[in-house]
Amino acid sequence: MRASSSRPFKRTRTGCLTCKKDGYKCDEKKPFCSRCLRLEKDCNYGVKLKWQVPMRPQQIVPTSGGPRQKHQRKNASVSLIGPQLLQHSTASASPRAMSSGIPLHEAYLLHHWKTSLASLITFAPMTQNPFQTYITPMINDSLSLRSAICSMAACHLSVLKDDPALLHTATQHQFNTVSLFRRTVTTESPLISLAIIMILHITDRHFATNPGAVHLGGAKVIKDLAGPIFWNSDAGRFLLGCCTYHDTIVSVSDGTPPIMGLKTNVPYLRWMKPMRLLRNLWVIIGQISSMRSLGRPLLDSEGETIEIALEPIDTLASHEGDEGHTIQAYKEAAYIYLYQVWHSMTSPHPKIVRRAHNCLGHLLQVEVASPLASSHPWPLRTSACEITDSELRCVVRERVKDMYEYRHLPSLRRLGHDIEATWKIKDKEQSCISNEDLDCPPTIT
């Protein structure tokens, strides 16, 4: 008989909990080991904690153990998520989330999403928050979506807590989102796939220093492959509505036609109440972006068509309430954008100045705490950049500051910087024009 090896078997305590439970050796890759990724299992590092329910988060303590065990538990958690995140997560994650098997630091991030962040990025009232209604329940069905939401939450918390270490956590979750999504995109529900792409896109737009990741191309592929049947549900219409808005904003900022290529008469836009007119305006604004590539005859024809399409908004939309003021503000901003693309018209042209003042007037009627204020950055920027009055500019500065203080989204800081930069350019151009006028000799008659 062959003699058995005399080399002792070496056990480790640093593998993931899932492999330990299954009795398999773990390769200890972070944030998720290879076996759990391959088998699509929840990969949890650290130590398994036992929670007593019901108890408030601040009362929760791990099961008792000797001094050495306690020290090992503490070090295991800190090495994975960092001391500050551990402190926040212990204080904020709910016992219910912990009992579901979700890692402590992820439960903390998901708790922030559910209690705060989801309400800051929606346009709907809190009681009708579609992110909570449609996206949050999907978390249990997709590790990739869960990681995407954790990434966004970590980005937002890094701003709120002024903690750069949380950005590292956000990056890890984003990497995991993409890695998992690539493996499951062909088997994932189109609704979940589109939700993942929208969360990645929104995170990039709000938190990236130089946003520019191309996620909407993937959204279009998923929409086209899935077919109309998948978008007849409320969740499908909500997700496609998100695509419409972000597709429009990207088309304006990049000066390119919308990727999704949507029209105002598609069914999911027609039945999206109560903000149907606002969604129609997003499509019209995207059509204005598409005019940039047209020659003069087609440009004039399309410009006239869009101008006629904007006229009925006055009679169809209310001039009162957050929704009415938001729709009217978008209409005025759409006119400004149309005249800029169609006629290269800017302030101090009277048409532009009047539309800019009207737009700002409507925006200022909406409280910054209103969910609809989340959709205001584009009309605010479009109108504010055409303002030359110093007092109105101060009002704009205060408005942007208040919007940021309420939501703490870095994109709102960029909004303020972009407006200030545009004002400097316009003031310099106007100064040069004034100086040229002074240098001109008087005309002799």
Side-chain angles (χ1 to χ4, degrees):
M1 293 178 63
R2 181 179 299 175
S4 61
S5 174
S6 60
R7 185 173 60 183
F9 177 75
K10 186 176 180 181
R11 290 183 176 274
T12 66
R13 296 179 179 271
T14 53
C16 77
L17 295 175
T18 308
C19 288
K20 284 182 182 180
K21 180 181 177 181
D22 296 344
Y24 284 88
K25 180 175 174 58
C26 179
D27 63 9
E28 302 180 22
K29 289 186 177 180
K30 303 291 181 64
F32 300 100
C33 74
S34 300
R35 179 175 176 272
C36 288
L37 283 176
R38 177 170 53 83
L39 299 177
E40 298 183 8
K41 292 192 172 189
D42 287 343
C43 186
N44 304 325
Y45 282 91
V47 292
K48 188 174 183 179
L49 303 180
K50 184 178 180 180
W51 304 94
Q52 295 178 349
V53 180
M55 298 182 73
R56 286 191 295 271
Q58 60 265 31
Q59 294 176 316
I60 297 173
V61 293
T63 55
S64 60
R68 183 176 180 182
Q69 287 177 306
K70 291 179 180 179
H71 179 71
Q72 287 172 341
R73 288 188 184 124
K74 181 178 179 182
N75 285 347
S77 297
V78 170
S79 64
L80 174 63
I81 60 178
Q84 288 181 304
L85 183 54
L86 176 65
Q87 178 184 359
H88 299 320
S89 58
T90 303
S92 300
S94 67
R96 193 171 197 176
M98 293 298 88
S99 64
S100 67
I102 297 175
L104 181 63
H105 71 290
E106 288 191 19
Y108 167 59
L109 296 173
L110 294 175
H111 177 76
H112 179 65
W113 159 265
K114 293 175 184 177
T115 59
S116 178
L117 183 54
S119 65
L120 298 178
I121 61 173
T122 185
F123 304 157
M126 192 64 172
T127 55
Q128 305 172 17
N129 188 341
F131 283 99
Q132 291 284 33
T133 303
Y134 305 122
I135 304 299
T136 299
M138 296 180 186
I139 293 174
N140 296 327
D141 300 322
S142 173
L143 287 175
S144 182
L145 179 60
R146 191 169 91 189
S147 289
I149 289 175
C150 284
S151 179
M152 184 192 291
C155 285
H156 192 236
L157 283 166
S158 72
V159 178
L160 291 175
K161 307 289 185 183
D162 192 21
D163 184 2
L166 283 164
L167 291 177
H168 177 65
T169 302
T171 301
Q172 286 182 316
H173 279 294
Q174 186 181 50
F175 175 81
N176 185 56
T177 300
V178 176
S179 177
L180 286 170
F181 190 45
R182 284 175 176 168
R183 298 169 186 231
T184 61
V185 65
T186 56
T187 57
E188 199 89 82
S189 161
L191 288 174
I192 293 179
S193 295
L194 196 56
I196 293 168
I197 288 177
M198 288 315 305
I199 293 296
L200 287 171
H201 176 83
I202 293 170
T203 303
D204 179 69
R205 287 286 150 178
H206 281 314
F207 297 100
T209 304
N210 296 301
V214 183
H215 298 294
L216 292 175
K220 176 174 172 55
V221 172
I222 290 171
K223 177 185 77 72
D224 293 343
L225 289 177
I229 190 171
F230 278 96
W231 314 119
N232 289 334
S233 64
D234 290 338
R237 285 190 287 267
F238 161 67
L239 287 167
L240 287 180
C242 282
C243 287
T244 306
Y245 168 75
H246 289 284
D247 194 23
T248 297
I249 300 305
V250 171
S251 75
V252 174
S253 61
D254 293 353
T256 56
I259 295 173
M260 304 293 288
L262 301 174
K263 305 296 182 183
T264 56
N265 60 348
V266 295
Y268 72 83
L269 283 173
R270 187 165 64 250
W271 297 110
M272 273 184 173
K273 297 179 180 180
M275 294 169 58
R276 178 173 54 87
L277 284 175
L278 186 55
R279 288 176 170 86
N280 284 346
L281 278 166
W282 294 339
V283 176
I284 290 173
I285 293 164
Q287 291 171 345
I288 297 173
S289 295
S290 300
M291 289 172 57
R292 294 178 179 273
S293 60
L294 300 179
R296 176 48 60 183
L298 288 175
L299 185 66
D300 288 337
S301 175
E302 187 68 8
E304 291 171 0
T305 300
I306 291 176
E307 191 173 38
I308 292 171
L310 287 172
E311 289 174 0
I313 300 296
D314 272 332
T315 56
L316 294 174
S318 168
H319 287 251
E320 298 178 356
D322 292 352
E323 182 185 327
H325 286 300
T326 298
I327 291 172
Q328 294 294 337
Y330 262 90
K331 180 207 69 176
E332 299 290 348
Y335 271 117
I336 294 172
Y337 187 38
L338 174 64
Y339 295 148
Q340 288 171 344
V341 174
W342 186 9
H343 300 302
S344 300
M345 189 186 295
T346 61
S347 60
H349 194 285
K351 268 190 177 182
I352 296 293
V353 173
R354 176 170 58 86
R355 297 287 184 185
H357 283 213
N358 290 345
C359 182
L360 282 176
H362 285 293
L363 293 175
L364 295 173
Q365 295 297 316
V366 181
E367 294 290 336
V368 293
S370 169
L372 280 166
S374 297
S375 68
H376 287 185
W378 180 75
L380 179 58
R381 175 177 178 170
T382 301
S383 57
C385 287
E386 303 300 333
I387 295 296
T388 57
D389 182 86
S390 58
E391 291 186 6
L392 267 181
R393 286 184 175 182
C394 288
V395 172
V396 170
R397 290 188 183 99
E398 285 300 312
R399 180 69 174 186
V400 174
K401 178 183 175 183
D402 291 344
M403 290 171 69
Y404 176 78
E405 290 299 325
Y406 185 80
R407 288 173 172 78
H408 287 91
L409 299 174
S411 57
L412 295 173
R413 277 188 170 173
R414 290 198 306 271
L415 172 66
H417 295 157
D418 291 346
I419 291 173
E420 294 284 354
T422 302
W423 284 342
K424 286 182 180 180
I425 293 172
K426 284 184 172 290
D427 290 347
K428 186 175 181 180
E429 290 175 348
Q430 191 61 39
S431 177
C432 291
I433 293 173
S434 300
N435 289 336
E436 287 176 2
D437 291 342
L438 289 174
D439 292 341
C440 290
T443 303
I444 299 176
T445 58

